[in-house]
Amino acid sequence: MVAVNGEVSFWYAASGLPEPGPALPGSADVDVCIVGGGYTGLWTAYYLKKAEPSLRIAVLERRFCGYGASGRNGGWLYNGFAGRGAFAKRYGPGAAAAMQRAMDEAVGEVVDVAAAERIDAHIVRGGVLEVARNRAQLERLKAFAAAERAYGEERVELLGAKEAADRIAVAGALGGTWTPYGARIQPAELVRGLARVVRDLGVAVHEGTAVTAILPGTAYARPRAVTPQGTVTAEYVLRATEGFTAGLRGERRTWLPMNSAMIATEPLPPAFWAEAGWQGREVLGDFAHAYMYAQRTADDRIALGGRGVPYRFGSRTDADGGTQVETVRQLRQILNRFFPAAASARIDHAWAGVLGVPRDWCATVELDRASGLGWAGGYVGSGVTTTNLAGRTLRDLVLGRDTGLTGLPWVGHTVRRWEPEPLRWIGVHAMYAAYHAADRQEAGGRATTSPIARVADVVSGRW
């Protein structure tokens, strides 16, 4: 049994869901219109307004700021991003290394801005611990460590079983990696704080305002965002809608809305933490193909997530975070395997959300001056930090600055569209069925990565 299922996410349980602010009162003309009130939109508004206080900026949000992935994610502020391997192959290792350095620095940027703006997002910079629980996972873990060290020797520590257990005592862990480029956060508090800050800076944030279409500029008209309350015309209209992008006119096959689900336990007693450790508040992941992610919350719960039903036909999204009973059961099983001492713990909350997945699994940033349209996203679940880098990059693009950020390989990176239905639904469900089968095969004793997973990686376009 789960005490609460849905209600957007556990991260709002203590404070309650925000009351949406004022909707768009009617048609308006601004300098920059941002569609989407999550991390990407708010970071972009923040950095633009800081750089050019005179800019007239409007943020349009369908529900309330943080309704989507920004208020539902696992709270991993870390330096991973979608596409490093692909960028290295397409643009060269130097370009991928520049992108990685920018992501490393972005972790500290978020921490520093939160402190400067007095945003209490329960940030603890304990790094990222990832563990391997069978021989095949251990093979991938070692390969990952070698790849990370190619970007700098100090990037990652390769841990044996005891060293990993000294950080977090995960049952059956054969080894791990730890990197300092990570922190635990309370996601909703970060987005709530950002919304407050941008409003205080003078940005017009219109909640309860659903954008139905984004139209490009022409020789006779500026670009515009269309809503039931009116049309916002601007010099630039920036799309920051991530997993909800498919709901916009003409964007159904742009990014696939992939589902991810989480559970949060009741607060666990001191005896549990004495056994489990986790004193550094590291964020925790593993090297399964259908991987898990977790954190120790500020009030001593385990919040743990993974893929449930990966995709809904026709790119449909969920209703306020409700998730399936079977998904909760699967996450419960992962919790029990990793931490048997928590097997009797009550599950206080379960929820789900969507993340944006491009066809090549690479995040992108773009600004087309001819049409006046821009966008950022396709983070594939690694958006907490990447959104900050996206916001600063969009700032530089809008202001016409030629900087190190505007030269990164994800700027202007082109991605083909997803296949039409039913191919999209069949492909995604087949891919995750293959990954789950590969995980079962490896858990059964296979010493190397399952060929099922290797084929799924190639077919899906992930590698």
Side-chain angles (χ1 to χ4, degrees):
M1 289 291 294
V2 177
V4 178
N5 189 334
E7 295 186 14
V8 183
S9 78
F10 161 76
W11 307 119
Y12 292 106
S15 58
L17 295 178
E19 285 293 327
L24 180 71
S27 294
D29 184 271
V30 298
D31 297 311
V32 181
C33 174
I34 299 169
V35 180
Y39 292 149
T40 301
L42 294 173
W43 279 125
T44 303
Y46 174 81
Y47 286 111
L48 277 170
K49 198 68 173 174
K50 282 284 199 177
E52 293 287 348
S54 64
L55 283 176
R56 298 170 301 151
I57 303 172
V59 175
L60 308 180
E61 164 56 42
R62 185 180 71 173
R63 293 288 295 273
F64 56 82
C65 290
Y67 174 77
S70 299
R72 309 189 198 190
N73 64 79
W76 275 48
L77 178 69
Y78 86 121
N79 66 338
F81 66 95
R84 186 175 73 181
F87 291 149
K89 290 178 182 177
R90 183 165 174 178
Y91 305 107
M99 182 78 183
Q100 185 61 73
R101 286 192 298 272
M103 282 297 299
D104 294 346
E105 293 164 2
V107 174
E109 173 72 8
V110 174
V111 174
D112 291 346
V113 172
E117 301 292 356
R118 295 191 290 277
I119 299 172
D120 183 6
H122 305 172
I123 297 174
V124 178
R125 197 164 180 176
V128 182
L129 177 69
E130 296 184 87
V131 298
R133 298 184 65 252
N134 58 53
R135 290 185 295 167
Q137 289 183 20
L138 189 62
E139 175 193 57
R140 291 195 294 277
L141 180 147
K142 290 177 179 178
F144 165 77
E148 286 296 297
R149 285 175 174 167
Y151 289 89
E153 283 294 324
E154 81 294 343
R155 302 188 53 73
V156 65
E157 293 182 19
L158 185 61
L159 309 177
K162 183 181 184 307
E163 294 169 305
D166 286 344
R167 286 189 174 274
I168 306 175
V170 174
L174 303 179
T177 59
W178 179 83
T179 175
Y181 296 105
R184 188 278 315 272
I185 70 164
Q186 209 280 27
E189 292 304 318
L190 178 60
V191 74
R192 191 194 302 270
L194 283 173
R196 169 185 57 80
V197 170
V198 300
R199 285 188 175 103
D200 290 346
L201 289 172
V203 173
V205 179
H206 301 295
E207 296 176 298
T209 302
V211 173
T212 57
I214 297 174
L215 304 178
T218 68
Y220 307 102
R222 299 208 297 171
R224 53 214 182 274
V226 180
T227 83
Q229 291 95 334
T231 297
V232 178
T233 305
E235 188 72 21
Y236 298 106
V237 177
L238 308 179
R239 189 185 77 226
T241 47
E242 191 57 359
F244 293 97
T245 299
L248 291 167
R249 188 188 308 168
E251 305 291 349
R252 187 165 296 277
R253 292 168 56 195
T254 300
W255 291 331
L256 184 142
M258 185 80 74
N259 291 286
S260 198
M262 294 195 71
I263 57 173
T265 69
E266 64 182 320
L268 299 174
F272 171 83
W273 298 112
E275 178 179 332
W278 218 331
Q279 300 307 310
R281 307 277 173 160
E282 303 91 341
V283 293
L284 171 69
D286 75 342
F287 274 81
H289 300 290
Y291 54 84
M292 60 78 72
Y293 51 94
Q295 67 154 276
R296 177 180 177 179
T297 68
D299 59 349
D300 288 338
R301 305 169 190 265
I302 294 176
L304 181 149
R307 300 290 184 263
V309 174
Y311 172 71
R312 292 178 172 86
F313 190 87
S315 292
R316 290 181 290 116
T317 54
D318 66 86
D320 289 353
T323 194
Q324 301 82 4
V325 172
E326 175 60 19
T327 297
V328 176
R329 186 189 68 80
Q330 292 171 358
L331 295 176
R332 172 94 229 196
Q333 287 180 338
I334 294 172
L335 173 71
N336 294 352
R337 288 197 299 268
F338 275 59
F339 300 104
S344 63
R346 185 180 69 245
I347 303 301
D348 276 355
H349 210 125
W351 71 99
V354 291
L355 48 103
V357 180
R359 187 60 183 86
D360 67 353
W361 301 71
C362 292
T364 55
V365 177
E366 178 65 285
L367 182 67
D368 177 24
R369 294 192 179 279
S371 66
L373 301 185
W375 60 87
Y379 306 121
V380 196
S382 296
V384 177
T385 310
T386 318
T387 51
N388 176 272
L389 183 61
R392 288 182 284 130
T393 305
L394 282 171
R395 170 202 61 196
D396 290 352
L397 291 169
V398 167
L399 298 179
R401 298 175 174 177
D402 184 7
T403 67
L405 297 184
T406 60
L408 292 174
W410 69 333
V411 177
H413 174 75
T414 56
V415 182
R416 68 184 176 93
R417 292 161 67 81
W418 281 88
E419 291 79 2
E421 296 291 18
L423 297 178
R424 195 159 68 243
W425 187 92
I426 293 170
V428 174
H429 281 263
M431 178 185 71
Y432 271 94
Y435 286 141
H436 284 296
D439 282 332
R440 289 192 296 271
Q441 190 179 75
E442 293 173 7
R446 182 181 176 86
T448 59
T449 293
S450 167
I452 300 172
R454 295 188 190 278
V455 171
D457 283 343
V458 173
V459 173
S460 67
R462 294 183 69 176
W463 307 109

